[in-house]
């Protein structure tokens, strides 16, 4: 065979190979101007989408809940008790807009297009301690107000479906058994809320609002993929937060026994109770004020205060210092009776660890009522 | 010396061992102070288990004492003594016998202290048992038993009676459940079981415990009763944090089927009421988080509707009270609202819906001056001044937006506040439950509202409490006549407080609807006599959470006869009874007093009567215009509806018998007369 003929025959292929090689080499250069694009899709004129996957908030298998680019995970220092559900929380904003700081104890002022995502799951579902995601709740800031959307996960754990019409007007429930942290196995009718139930807690002055993302609650380090960082700092670097002050009156993780009992209990009360028990909230006509920034004042906690609704001659004070079994606060968080339990919505079983914390805290009080 | 020592030892033993059980309770004298030793180290004691309203569960050990009254007097037992250093005590007082103790009173923390104090009216010759326990403290303490000056003689008193067949945990429903019009006691036990204690002629109760299909929810927020299938036996409705369920009483009153509605919402007050006035009882449920819901009865199913009667987006609807405020013959509804006030966003602003008689309702609260901003969970509705117009006492459960507001119906579509000087202007206690009834039978409505007391009305918007409080719950306090003596009684858990009454006379009116719903809910009852006029609207579900008797109860003071009783049924039929005896349960069956004499109606005549082929309606008043006519048979079934009134109505196809012709004029007035087809 003629060598020239062979050269001609393979010339094009070789050239292509050479060209490709050059391309690959040059593209792997980190200093190149290649910009990664976030797959997230949120068209405010089209939402809510029928499936959670339509937003592309997560990459890889949906059930792994790996956030896509620009979807930032977060976690409040102390979290709301929801029948022992575990939670993953995320926030996403469109390009070019930022949230601004209002005050330590107030929700950041979020721009139009902000999406807050909260997935509820259990990892001890019986039998065999299975992991199952139950629901993902979304709050979306449109031009007029916040909107609530509810997505219920399928049994296969591949996606979650939007709840609409009567399903969202009534909510729904899922019955399953799971193992509590104390190894007790219980069966619950896990409640997936209706829009009215979302609104019942998520409001101030009858305006729909997020609850958790306040500077006081996210002034902690979080283990991001790239390493530990303060959550406010992360949002700032992400371009999601305009600025934040260097000193913030902050809540603590109520599990953290290295923190003072008082701060742990007050952090617990803030995240579980303050959404209703504060000015201009659902229960502002009662004197209790449970916001962390207000509970340095014992009167706001109800210490030595006789309740408006005395429950019995043994349960008259909201907090009877030193005596948790005579404190209405302790009674209500220990109750599962619908007309007596607190919080009013959001739980059906008792939070043993929370009750124990409050009990310890009240029993350690040395105030004397006059 | 040695003998003396032995005596002391024996005496001490008596103190230590002698009071540990009810059966060896130590006698305590009047005006004495006794030392109750520490509980530590004691054995063989019995802790009291009948706690008479105390919460927190039983103690482990008890101490028992007894006191025998040798005269009628007011007694106070107290551990509020300085030497006790605010030790944490609890005390319970009983009568009866050790085997059958009856609650008198109890106390745990008195006036904000940990010590206790309890007072009661002791009756000559009665022995009272006094028990302490160690639920909160093992320490010993001193206690005094003294004669106290009563705050005043009781205007009205009650005697406690235990009903052992009250076995459930939900005890706030008193209503006739076996069709004999005597009030029975419903006690809900679980999702699959309830106990009903039926009132017997001799004042005792016999009980049945029913197993029912799973109700899924319990009456954790409210309960209501009514006969929604018109079979003569009242059905039940439970209101919970996850919506409602109906329990339908079968045709012999011996069992229940359940109808769990799928809507899940935070229910508050529930009622049975005929919302669209079609003779079939519907149900209404206040929603605390969203617009209210109701269930329209189509004769087979109760169909859910949301919206149209209280549409505030985030709810705040606590109680609904159905009554005729403008005397136009249909029921309107007052919605008591509570919620975030302050900036006045509206969750706390009451609503007041006028029934437009066409299936729709309009909120006229502002025009009617009933857009009350007070934080209320229920209003007590009744004609307090006996002027023929229903008034409303807006009862508060928080003083943050004002105190309880007494609103007088002016009769012209508006209300005026008459709280100033009413007695409510000077009290600050609050509560969920406000209901109007005549407890002392003096002919003037009283209010069972905030606090453990009754505010006795004087007929002119002045209310005075009993000098001494009553041993009733602040929450579960259903009302009914539990011993058929014409005086209203109140339940407190497994104890009923029987009204000791007085010499005043009374009338109970029991209704049986035929064309209207069987209970006659929505009917207006008027009684006339020496007192003038009194009115009641028949209702199911008053106050906030309790179900009280459906029977209409009147007190008439010292009058002995009732000149006239008028029943204005929701159907438009009017029954009139003259010269009614006092002190009886008057049963009125709808339409039975209608005449078949064709000259008795002043509005129209029906002829010929009796008729064979056709009937013609002739107006006696040429200015009136008839809009429509309905012919009912005596079982309440609609036979014919006619909108063409000018033409004679054919009755040829009717079976022979007696019928009721009900006609409606264009202003909405209704008139009824019987006729015979032969």
């Amino acid at each position: 065979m003629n060598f020239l003929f062979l050269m001609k025959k393979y010339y094009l292929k070789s050239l292509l190979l050479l060209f490709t090689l050059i391309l690959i080499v040059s593209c792997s250069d980190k200093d190149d101007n290649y910009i990664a694009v976030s797959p997230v899709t949120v068209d405010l004129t089209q939402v809510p989408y029928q499936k959670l996957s339509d937003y592309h908030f997560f990459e890889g298998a949906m059930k792994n809940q790996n956030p896509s680019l620009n979807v930032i995970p977060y976690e409040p220092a102390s979290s709301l008790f929801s029948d022992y559900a575990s939670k993953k929380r995320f926030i996403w904003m469109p390009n070019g807009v930022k949230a601004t700081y209002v005050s330590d104890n107030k929700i950041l002022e979020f721009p139009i297009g902000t999406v807050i995502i909260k997935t509820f799951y259990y990892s001890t579902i019986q039998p065999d301690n299975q992991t199952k995601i139950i629901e993902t709740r979304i709050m979306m800031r449109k031009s007029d107000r916040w909107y609530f959307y509810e997505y219920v996960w399928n049994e296969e754990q591949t996606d979650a479906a939007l709840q609409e019409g009567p399903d969202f007007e009534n909510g729904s429930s899922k019955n399953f058994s799971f193992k509590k942290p104390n190894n007790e196995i219980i069966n619950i009718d896990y409640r997936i809320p209706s829009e009215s139930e979302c609104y019942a807690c998520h409001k101030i002055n009858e305006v729909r609002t997020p609850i958790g993302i306040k500077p006081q609650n996210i002034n902690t380090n979080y283990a991001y993929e790239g390493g530990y960082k303060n959550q406010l700092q992360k949002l700032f670097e992400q371009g999601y937060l305009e600025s934040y002050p260097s000193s913030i009156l902050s809540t603590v993780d109520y599990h953290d026994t290295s923190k003072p009992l008082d701060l742990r209990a007050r952090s617990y009360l803030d995240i579980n109770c303050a959404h209703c028990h504060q000015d201009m909230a659902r229960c502002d006509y009662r004197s209790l004020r449970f916001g962390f920034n207000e509970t340095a004042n014992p009167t706001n906690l109800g210490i030595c205060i006789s309740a408006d609704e005395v429950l019995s001659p043994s349960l008259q004070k909201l907090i009877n210092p030193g005596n948790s079994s005579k404190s209405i606060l302790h009674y209500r968080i220990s109750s599962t009776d619908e007309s007596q339990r607190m919080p009013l919505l959001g739980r059906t079983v008792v939070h043993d660890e929370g009750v124990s914390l409050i009990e310890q805290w009240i029993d350690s009080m040395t105030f004397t009522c006059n | 010396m040695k003998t003396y020592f032995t005596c002391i030892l024996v005496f001490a033993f008596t103190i230590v061992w002698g009071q540990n059980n009810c059966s060896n309770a130590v006698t305590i004298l009047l005006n004495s102070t006794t030392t109750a030793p520490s509980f530590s180290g004691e054995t063989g004691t019995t802790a009291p288990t009948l706690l008479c309203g105390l919460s927190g569960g039983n103690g482990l050990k008890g101490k028992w004492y007894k006191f025998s009254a040798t005269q009628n007097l007011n007694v106070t037992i107290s551990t509020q003594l300085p030497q006790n250093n605010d030790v944490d005590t609890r005390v319970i007082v009983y009568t009866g016998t050790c085997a059958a103790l009856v609650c008198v009173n109890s106390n745990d923390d008195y006036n904000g202290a940990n010590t206790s104090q309890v007072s009661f009216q002791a009756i000559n010759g009665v022995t009272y048992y006094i028990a302490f326990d160690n639920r909160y403290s093992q320490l010993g303490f001193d206690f005094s038993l003294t004669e106290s000056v009563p705050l005043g003689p009781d205007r009205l008193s009650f005697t406690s009676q235990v009903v052992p067949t009250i076995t459930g945990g939900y005890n706030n429903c008193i209503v006739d459940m076996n069709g004999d019009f005597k009030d029975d006691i419903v006690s809900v036990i679980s999702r699959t079981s309830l106990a009903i204690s039926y009132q017997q002629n001799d004042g005792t109760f016999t009980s049945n415990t029913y197993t029912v299909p799973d109700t899924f929810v319990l009456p954790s927020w409210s309960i209501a009763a009514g006969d929604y299938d018109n079979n003569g036996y009242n059905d039940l409705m439970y209101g919970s944090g996850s919506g409602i369920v109906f329990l339908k009483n079968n045709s012999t009153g011996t069992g229940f089927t359940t109808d769990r509605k799928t809507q899940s919402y935070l229910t508050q007050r529930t009622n049975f009421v005929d919302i669209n006035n079609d003779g079939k009882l519907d149900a209404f449920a206040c929603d605390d988080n969203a617009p209210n819901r109701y269930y329209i009865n189509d004769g087979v199913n109760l169909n859910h509707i949301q919206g149209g009667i209280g549409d505030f987006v985030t709810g705040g609807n606590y109680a609904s009270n159905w009554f005729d405020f403008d005397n136009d013959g249909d029921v309107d509804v007052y919605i008591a609202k509570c919620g975030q006030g302050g900036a006045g966003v509206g969750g706390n602003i009451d609503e007041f819906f006028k029934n437009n008689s066409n299936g729709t309702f309009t909120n006229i609260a502002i025009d009617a001056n009933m857009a009350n901003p007070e934080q209320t969970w229920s209003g007590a509705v009744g004609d307090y001044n006996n002027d023929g117009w229903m008034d409303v006492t807006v009862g508060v459960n928080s003083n943050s937006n004002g105190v309880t507001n007494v609103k007088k119906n002016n009769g012209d579509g508006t209300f005026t506040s008459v709280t100033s000087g009413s007695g409510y202007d000077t009290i600050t206690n609050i509560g969920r439950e406000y209901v109007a009834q005549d407890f002392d039978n003096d002919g003037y409505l009283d209010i069972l509202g905030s606090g453990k007391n009754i505010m006795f009305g004087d007929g002119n918007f002045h209310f005075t409490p009993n000098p001494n409080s009553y041993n009733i719950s602040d929450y579960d306090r259903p009302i009914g006549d539990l011993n058929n003596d014409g005086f209203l009684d109140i339940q407190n858990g497994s104890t009923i407080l029987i009204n000791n009454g007085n010499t005043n006379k009374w009338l109970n009116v029991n209704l049986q609807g035929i064309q209207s719903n069987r209970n006659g809910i929505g009917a207006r009852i008027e009684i006339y006599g020496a007192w003038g006029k009194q009115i009641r609207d028949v209702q199911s579900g008053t106050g906030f959470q309790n179900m009280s008797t459906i029977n209409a109860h009147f007190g008439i003071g010292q009058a002995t006869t009732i000149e006239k009783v008028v029943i204005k049924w929701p159907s438009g039929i009017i029954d009139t009874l003259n010269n009614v005896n006092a002190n009886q349960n008057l049963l009125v069956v709808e339409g039975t007093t209608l005449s078949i004499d064709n000259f008795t109606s002043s509005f129209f005549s029906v002829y010929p009567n009796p008729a064979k082929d056709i009937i013609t309606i002739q107006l006696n008043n040429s200015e009136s215009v008839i809009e429509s006519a309905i012919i009912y048979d005596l079982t309440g079934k609609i036979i014919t509806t006619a909108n063409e009134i000018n033409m004679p109505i054919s009755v040829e196809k009717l079976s022979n018998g007696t019928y009721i012709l009900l006609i409606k004029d264009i202003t909405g007035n209704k008139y009824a007369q019987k006729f015979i087809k032969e």
Side-chain angles (χ1 to χ4, degrees):
Chain A
M1 208 137 332
N2 194 323
F3 179 70
L4 215 57
F5 174 72
L6 279 166
M7 279 281 285
K8 261 193 193 161
K9 197 172 174 187
Y10 292 105
Y11 180 67
L12 225 51
K13 282 189 183 158
S14 309
L15 212 56
L16 203 59
L17 193 63
L18 192 62
F19 186 67
T20 311
L21 244 101
I22 293 168
L23 206 62
I24 286 170
V25 166
S26 61
C27 284
S28 68
D29 187 336
K30 282 200 167 84
D31 291 333
D32 199 78
N33 60 354
Y34 171 75
I35 298 170
V37 176
S38 169
V40 172
T41 308
V42 178
D43 179 347
L44 289 184
T45 66
Q46 299 293 310
V47 296
Y49 301 136
Q50 290 300 308
K51 303 195 306 292
L52 185 58
S53 57
D54 293 336
Y55 297 96
H56 302 285
F57 287 136
F58 306 103
E59 54 184 27
M62 283 281 282
K63 67 176 181 178
N64 293 336
Q65 293 281 284
N66 285 325
S68 302
L69 184 65
N70 295 344
V71 178
I72 308 299
Y74 75 92
E75 190 178 341
S78 277
S79 61
L80 175 74
F81 173 71
S82 305
D83 280 358
Y84 288 106
S86 304
K87 302 171 194 182
K88 288 195 192 295
R89 304 169 187 77
F90 308 91
I91 181 167
W92 176 88
M93 284 186 216
N95 274 335
V97 288
K98 296 179 200 248
T100 52
Y101 169 88
V102 177
S103 70
D104 293 354
N105 64 301
K106 286 200 166 29
I107 293 291
L108 300 172
E109 182 63 51
F110 288 104
I112 293 169
T114 303
V115 183
I116 304 176
I117 304 148
K118 188 168 173 186
T119 292
F120 293 71
Y121 68 97
Y122 287 79
S123 49
T124 58
I125 293 200
Q126 301 301 303
D128 306 323
N129 288 336
Q130 305 165 56
T131 296
K132 271 223 170 77
I133 304 178
I134 313 296
E135 54 163 334
T136 296
R137 302 179 191 175
I138 288 184
M139 286 190 65
M140 202 173 287
R141 178 94 166 82
K142 294 193 187 179
S143 58
D144 54 340
R145 61 169 172 87
W146 286 94
Y147 284 76
F148 305 121
Y149 301 123
E150 176 67 57
Y151 290 85
V152 174
W153 285 69
N154 57 22
E155 276 304 300
E156 303 77 37
Q157 301 283 282
T158 54
D159 210 337
L162 176 71
Q163 300 300 286
E164 292 184 292
D167 289 334
F168 198 27
E169 282 158 27
N170 291 316
S172 57
S173 62
K174 276 201 151 61
N175 183 281
F176 54 85
S177 300
F178 70 96
K179 187 154 59 164
K180 286 162 55 173
N182 69 355
N183 287 327
E184 187 193 339
I185 293 178
I186 61 170
N187 180 275
I188 60 168
D189 279 318
Y190 177 94
R191 175 101 193 117
I192 294 165
S194 63
E195 209 269 352
S196 302
E197 284 171 335
C198 297
Y199 199 177
C201 297
H202 279 272
K203 63 177 183 180
I204 288 284
N205 212 15
E206 303 298 328
V207 174
R208 291 170 178 80
T209 178
I211 295 175
I213 308 192
K214 299 170 176 165
Q216 69 173 28
N217 292 335
I218 54 173
N219 188 19
T220 54
N221 288 337
Y222 185 89
Y224 300 98
E225 243 190 42
Y228 272 96
K229 188 164 287 190
N230 177 283
Q231 298 192 75
L232 290 162
Q233 179 61 21
K234 173 72 174 182
L235 291 178
F236 172 74
E237 287 175 6
Q238 174 67 26
Y240 281 179
L241 180 58
E242 183 85 42
S243 68
Y244 63 94
S246 53
S247 169
I248 295 175
L249 185 67
S250 304
T251 56
V252 304
D253 177 3
Y254 67 82
H255 296 103
D256 185 354
T257 50
S258 76
K259 298 287 196 299
L261 184 58
D262 183 62
L263 291 185
R264 293 169 57 207
R266 285 171 49 211
S267 299
Y268 184 86
L269 291 174
D270 177 291
I271 199 69
N272 281 282
C273 315
H275 44 276
C276 290
H277 286 285
Q278 64 177 289
D279 282 349
M280 298 204 295
R282 186 200 184 90
C283 208
D284 100 334
Y285 62 92
R286 300 254 185 254
S287 66
L288 284 172
R289 294 289 182 265
F290 279 134
F292 184 78
N293 64 311
E294 295 190 89
T295 51
N297 177 345
T299 305
N300 286 338
L301 286 168
I303 296 177
C304 295
I305 308 280
S306 251
D308 277 352
E309 290 204 317
V310 163
L311 296 181
S312 82
S314 312
L315 285 167
Q316 296 182 49
K317 291 190 166 47
L318 293 164
I319 292 182
N320 190 329
N323 199 334
S324 60
S325 59
K326 283 196 173 179
S327 300
I328 287 183
L329 169 61
H330 178 266
Y331 179 83
R332 285 189 184 274
I333 64 173
S334 309
S335 172
T336 50
D337 180 307
E338 284 182 336
S339 65
Q340 296 190 319
R341 72 180 177 208
M342 281 292 148
L344 186 60
L345 303 176
R347 73 167 178 90
T348 65
V349 301
V350 174
H351 186 198
D352 301 329
E353 296 76 13
V355 168
S356 171
L357 169 69
I358 298 300
E359 201 168 285
Q360 256 187 282
W361 174 61
I362 295 176
D363 287 341
S364 71
M365 287 180 186
T366 52
F367 293 97
T368 40
C369 304
N370 288 324
Chain B
M1 190 70 156
K2 197 172 170 194
T3 317
Y4 183 60
F5 180 73
T6 311
C7 284
I8 300 271
L9 201 58
V10 168
F11 187 55
F13 260 141
T14 307
I15 290 178
V16 169
W17 288 100
Q19 77 279 15
N20 287 351
N21 299 293
C22 183
S23 52
N24 58 9
V26 168
T27 299
I28 300 294
L29 299 177
L30 183 63
N31 295 325
S32 64
T33 302
T34 306
T35 298
S38 157
F39 291 91
S40 304
E42 284 183 347
T43 56
T45 85
T46 311
T49 54
L50 180 61
L51 297 183
C52 304
L54 296 181
S55 59
N58 300 341
L60 294 173
K61 296 178 183 176
K63 290 183 192 301
W64 296 80
Y65 301 89
K66 64 183 177 193
F67 167 74
S68 293
T70 54
Q71 47 173 318
N72 291 344
L73 77 167
N74 199 271
V75 171
T76 296
I77 296 168
S78 180
T79 62
Q80 294 218 313
L81 307 172
Q83 64 267 36
N84 284 338
N85 288 320
D86 200 32
V87 63
D88 202 340
T89 58
R90 302 202 305 185
V91 61
I92 310 167
V93 179
Y94 310 94
T95 50
T97 62
C98 289
L101 292 167
V102 177
C103 289
V104 173
N105 211 341
S106 68
N107 185 253
D108 185 343
D109 295 345
Y110 188 76
N111 271 356
N114 287 324
T115 44
S116 318
Q117 182 163 309
V118 68
S119 298
F120 59 97
Q121 192 66 25
I123 295 168
N124 184 16
V126 175
T127 297
Y128 296 88
Y129 292 92
I130 302 146
F132 299 89
D133 70 7
N134 69 339
R135 171 64 179 86
Y136 293 110
S137 168
Q138 296 273 55
L139 298 175
F141 51 89
D142 287 352
F143 69 95
S144 61
L145 189 152
T146 52
E147 176 176 9
S148 42
V149 179
L151 297 165
D154 280 327
R155 177 183 175 137
L156 187 70
S157 64
F158 295 80
T159 299
S160 290
Q161 177 187 323
V162 172
V163 180
T165 51
I166 296 173
T167 51
Y170 296 89
N171 296 307
N172 59 336
C173 178
I174 290 176
V175 69
D176 168 34
M177 290 299 287
N178 61 349
D180 66 356
F181 292 99
K182 286 214 273 298
D183 286 325
D184 309 310
I185 301 171
V186 176
S187 181
V188 176
I189 299 168
S190 71
R191 279 163 57 162
T192 53
S193 139
L194 66 152
I196 301 180
S197 304
Y198 297 97
Q199 185 185 154
Q200 303 302 303
N201 288 334
D202 59 358
T204 61
F205 291 84
T206 62
S207 139
N208 251 1
T209 300
Y210 294 95
T211 301
V212 301
D214 195 347
T215 58
F216 295 99
V217 296
L218 291 164
S220 49
W221 280 108
S222 72
I223 189 167
D227 187 1
Y228 72 84
D229 57 351
N230 286 342
N231 72 353
Y233 295 95
N234 281 327
D235 315 301
L236 297 168
M237 177 180 186
Y238 297 168
S240 81
S242 307
I244 60 111
V245 62
F246 295 104
L247 281 79
K248 190 154 69 156
N249 208 335
N250 67 19
S251 59
T252 46
T254 56
F256 295 87
T257 52
T258 61
D259 181 8
R260 162 74 175 136
K261 294 304 187 188
T262 57
Q263 298 77 29
S264 183
Y265 52 93
L266 183 51
T267 315
Q268 304 282 271
R269 174 76 265 171
T270 43
N271 323 87
F272 280 102
V273 57
D274 188 355
I275 296 173
N276 58 356
N277 203 11
D278 65 351
K280 297 189 276 290
L281 207 54
D282 314 302
F284 185 88
C286 284
D287 187 331
D288 197 7
N289 287 330
N292 292 321
R293 298 145 184 284
Y294 42 104
Y295 299 82
I296 298 294
N297 189 341
D298 65 9
V300 177
N301 293 314
L302 291 159
N303 302 304
H304 171 260
I305 298 179
Q306 182 178 26
I309 311 178
D311 293 342
F312 193 78
V313 177
T314 56
N317 303 294
Y318 280 69
S320 41
N321 199 308
W322 293 82
F323 62 102
D324 187 0
F325 101 95
D326 51 4
N327 292 355
D328 66 349
D330 54 34
V331 282
D332 315 294
V333 59
Y334 161 67
I335 307 282
K337 298 204 57 168
C338 184
Q340 184 239 315
V345 172
N348 59 316
I349 306 297
D350 288 349
E351 296 181 341
F352 200 74
F353 288 88
K354 177 180 159 53
N355 189 334
N356 299 319
S357 306
N358 59 4
T360 66
F361 291 78
T362 302
N363 182 12
I364 56 160
I366 292 174
D367 289 341
N369 192 28
M370 280 295 282
N372 315 300
E374 288 85 356
Q375 299 287 356
T376 170
W377 289 37
S378 65
V381 171
D383 184 5
Y384 297 105
N385 60 341
N386 291 339
D387 68 348
W389 298 94
M390 289 292 189
D391 314 299
V392 180
T393 297
V394 177
V396 298
N397 200 15
S398 158
N399 285 317
S400 64
N401 286 83
V403 299
T404 290
N405 194 349
V406 183
K407 308 282 296 232
K408 168 184 183 313
N409 188 336
N410 298 317
D412 61 1
T414 69
F415 289 74
T416 300
S417 177
V418 292
T419 305
S420 175
S422 69
Y424 276 102
D425 46 341
T426 54
I427 63 176
T428 54
N429 57 22
I430 61 172
R432 299 182 178 183
E433 294 289 329
Y434 292 81
V435 296
Q437 290 282 9
D438 188 355
F439 287 95
D440 56 358
N441 287 357
D442 65 354
Y444 304 120
L445 280 172
D446 315 309
I447 298 175
L448 178 59
S450 56
K452 298 179 193 298
N453 212 321
I454 295 170
M455 290 286 266
F456 292 96
D458 71 348
N460 202 10
F461 298 105
H462 302 116
F463 300 91
T464 313
N466 192 53
N468 309 301
S469 60
Y470 298 119
N471 194 7
I472 52 180
S473 161
D474 288 306
Y475 304 102
D476 290 338
R477 32 161 71 177
I479 300 159
D481 186 357
L482 294 172
N483 61 345
N484 204 25
D485 69 348
F487 284 84
L488 291 171
D489 314 304
I490 307 170
Q491 181 182 356
N492 181 2
S494 55
T495 300
I496 56 178
L497 277 74
I498 297 293
N499 192 329
N500 292 327
N502 51 38
T503 60
N504 285 333
K505 315 287 185 280
W506 50 276
L507 177 72
N508 278 337
V509 180
N510 302 327
L511 299 186
Q512 183 177 323
I514 307 285
Q515 289 72 22
S516 306
N517 72 82
R518 179 127 183 175
N519 299 115
I521 289 167
R524 163 65 55 90
I525 304 174
E526 303 171 348
I527 67 169
Y528 297 84
W531 57 85
K533 174 181 178 181
Q534 290 189 53
I535 62 173
R536 298 285 186 271
D537 281 346
V538 179
Q539 300 178 294
S540 157
T542 55
F544 175 71
Q545 62 196 51
N546 304 319
M547 177 66 200
S548 295
T549 181
I550 293 177
N551 303 338
H553 167 85
F554 296 85
I556 58 172
Q558 291 297 300
T560 53
T561 186
I562 298 139
E563 286 164 22
K564 192 165 66 167
V565 175
V566 179
I567 320 289
K568 293 176 172 168
W569 297 89
S571 64
I573 291 170
I574 300 178
D575 279 303
T576 307
L577 297 93
N578 297 309
N579 297 324
V580 175
N581 286 336
N583 288 14
Q584 63 159 314
N585 295 313
L586 180 70
L587 173 62
V588 183
V589 177
E590 184 171 11
T592 49
T593 69
L594 287 180
S595 169
I596 54 173
D597 181 336
N598 63 341
F599 292 115
T600 54
S601 168
S602 59
F603 180 68
F604 72 99
S605 310
V606 177
Y607 65 92
N609 189 3
K612 283 200 177 55
D613 306 307
I614 56 162
I615 54 170
T616 304
I617 301 172
Q618 168 158 318
L619 290 172
N620 294 340
N621 180 350
S622 59
E623 286 168 12
S624 314
V625 179
I626 303 177
E627 186 184 79
S628 61
I630 304 177
I631 296 176
Y632 290 96
D633 69 10
L634 289 188
T635 71
K637 189 162 132 222
I638 294 177
I639 304 299
T640 308
T641 339
N643 293 320
E644 287 287 331
I645 309 303
N646 298 325
M647 308 293 289
I649 302 170
S650 168
V651 297
E652 197 183 3
K653 297 214 169 75
L654 268 57
S655 314
N656 290 352
T658 305
Y659 295 84
I660 294 176
L661 174 67
L662 180 77
I663 66 178
K664 185 166 133 184
D665 73 17
I666 53 171
T667 62
N669 295 318
K670 294 180 186 153
Y671 308 89
Q673 187 181 313
K674 282 179 179 159
F675 71 93
I676 294 176
K677 158 73 166 55
E678 60 181 15

